[in-house]
Amino acid sequence: MAGFNLAYVKNTSVDAIVIGAGPNGLAAAIELARSGKSVRIYEANDTVGGGARSGELTLPGFTHDICSAVHPLALGSPFFSTLPLDQYGLEFIHSPIALAHPFDDGTAAVLVRSVEATSEKLGRDRSAYRDLMTPFVERWHDLASDILGPPRLPRHPFLAARFGMRAIRSAKAFAESTFRDDKTRALFAGLAGHSFLALNQLATSAFGLVLGLLAHTNGWPVAKAGSQSISNALAAYCKDLGGEIVTDLRIESLSDLPSAKAILCDLTPRQIVRVAGEFLPTSFRRRLSRYRYGPGAFKMDWALNAPVPWRSAECSQAATIHLGGSFAEIVASEELVSSGQHAEKPFVLLCQPTLFDPSRAPQGKHTLWAYCHVPNGSQVDMTERIENQIERFAPGFRDCILARSVIGPAKLEQRNANLVGGDINGGSQHLAQMFTRPTMSLYSTPKKGLYICSSSTPPGGGVHGLCGYHAARVALRKSLS
Ligand SMILES: Cc1cc2nc3c(=O)[nH]c(=O)nc-3n(C[C@H](O)[C@H](O)[C@H](O)COP(=O)(O)OP(=O)(O)OC[C@H]3O[C@@H](n4cnc5c(N)ncnc54)[C@H](O)[C@@H]3O)c2cc1C
């Protein structure tokens, strides 16, 4: 419980309390502290960071990202960009290619920073891709301010409408009507696959568009030395602003907390019912209980004695690789997961940080990170299927393995109660829960001074701190002014 005694942390009152030191909890605490409020965070784990932590999951000397690894959202976050995190050791590293998507014929589609250079490699879809991305890339800051937050009247209505018309469509329909080549469609399907939704669902196109735009506007970097550096920088800055962080203390009930004018929960609805249920009206508890969680992640990490032997040279230039093959294959695999089944050839999201950040492994050795989607709470071991997908595009991969770590949905949830059934986004991000999450009240609850600041609020999953920032602004206005 780092530097605090139990009587102190249980009895000394502060202006605001944050439960949970994930990126959103830390972001909320920073916003409160820099507005002059005294704030204390209580974190169940012995380290800060929630979904942005690193550790030696395989062998000594190999640092793995336990959850998040690729950070277009952190680098592109309008909130993080206002913080001096570089002064607290945070450095982002970019690979020459942001994302590579290999195919069975040995080629790969790639996303690089320049729209022009990306579109040049997309054959018949060259102008379709360029015409789609350019207007949004040119006005990314205006667009981001309208789409990365709670729903409200857009400040740039024509731009937002142009984006919205495309974003509201299903990724499948959008890719089929916008692109002619299967490889471009597959590239887009891989981006939209980050939604954890079946790609024939409305608004899955939004995920493909935003992640594609982020590659062109900010890149898809990894954090030097691991994602823990993001959390450590946030925590160190928070402490410099006067914030207190108490680790290794799980909050079981609001009654365990000292008095505070505001309590912000970096928790998902299920834990909020557990921790605060007795203080909430039945109708609100019922609404929280109806909140839907999405599919889970099956996460793997490897220590390798050599880089992955990709057939396509482009793959060795990219930190992130999408393994799913053709458009039809990715669409089918995500549809299976959504209907409660397991894909034989799952869509695999993979990151190979040590090619660009050798500090994470002994000299000449490498780490590898990957996950695939599985039904919520799945107990099926996907090890073989994930490794088959890697081997398919990198024959000889298995010969490089020194050790592996396997973390299925149950283990993910054991390590962080917010990962309900392995859901990494704090709840399904389907259209009805995209903007009005977890309820129409967003960050507020019927209990005076109680707020929600986790990825179960807009704009949802990812390491960007925006849920925490927006919740803190609401708490400052309603309870701390
Ligand atoms: C396998 C995996 C891969 C991912 N990959 C990426 C990626 O590459 N890029 C990206 O941007 N995002 C990624 N994400 C998603 C990202 O990690 C989350 O969206 C983000 O961490 C959400 O932040 P949060 O603060 O809302 O919640 P969390 O990060 O989940 O933090 C919640 C914190 O609250 C604590 N807590 C819970 N209950 C209690 C309690 N009762 N008392 C005290 N503390 C409590 C938890 O221990 C945890 O530290 C990934 C997630 C996972 C799991």
Side-chain angles (χ1 to χ4, degrees), residues 254 260-261 263 276-281 284 443-451 479:
L254 292 192
K261 290 181 200 136
I263 298 172
E278 61 185 298
F279 301 94
L280 294 167
F284 191 74
Y443 311 96
S444 300
T445 74
K447 176 168 166 55
K448 194 163 169 254
L450 183 68
Y451 300 92
S479 302

Side-chain angles (χ1 to χ4, degrees), residues 120-132:
E120 257 167 33
K121 302 221 161 137
L122 295 176
R124 293 187 296 165
D125 290 317
R126 179 182 172 168
S127 30
Y129 187 85
R130 197 188 46 215
D131 295 349
L132 170 68

Side-chain angles (χ1 to χ4, degrees), residues 19-26 42-45 47-53 66-74 194 249-252 266-268 271 275 297 299 369-371 412 415-419 422-426 453-456 460-464 467:
I19 307 176
N24 283 313
L26 290 165
Y42 294 95
E43 165 56 47
N45 273 310
T47 52
V48 297
R53 285 183 300 143
I66 300 168
C67 299
S68 62
V70 189
H71 293 292
L73 293 165
H194 284 253
L249 188 67
R250 179 176 301 280
I251 301 305
E252 305 291 351
D266 187 6
L267 305 174
T268 81
Q271 295 97 55
V275 168
K299 166 84 188 327
W369 167 109
Y371 70 89
L412 278 173
R415 286 166 180 252
N416 175 354
N418 279 26
L419 305 174
D423 178 340
I424 74 168
N425 289 314
C453 70
S454 72
S455 59
S456 303
V463 176
H464 44 62
C467 312

Side-chain angles (χ1 to χ4, degrees), residues 344-401:
E344 202 45 54
K345 292 184 177 176
F347 170 53
V348 174
L349 302 91
L350 179 145
C351 180
Q352 41 185 10
T354 40
L355 285 183
F356 314 99
D357 176 12
S359 75
R360 301 183 189 204
Q363 205 185 355
K365 307 280 190 281
H366 289 274
T367 63
L368 191 68
W369 167 109
Y371 70 89
C372 75
H373 303 156
V374 290
N376 192 280
S378 158
Q379 295 184 357
V380 172
D381 184 353
M382 299 295 283
T383 303
E384 179 99 8
R385 296 185 219 190
I386 290 180
E387 291 190 351
N388 284 346
Q389 284 289 65
I390 304 175
E391 190 79 29
R392 171 178 166 194
F393 300 102
F397 158 68
R398 282 195 173 93
D399 300 335
C400 306
I401 299 174

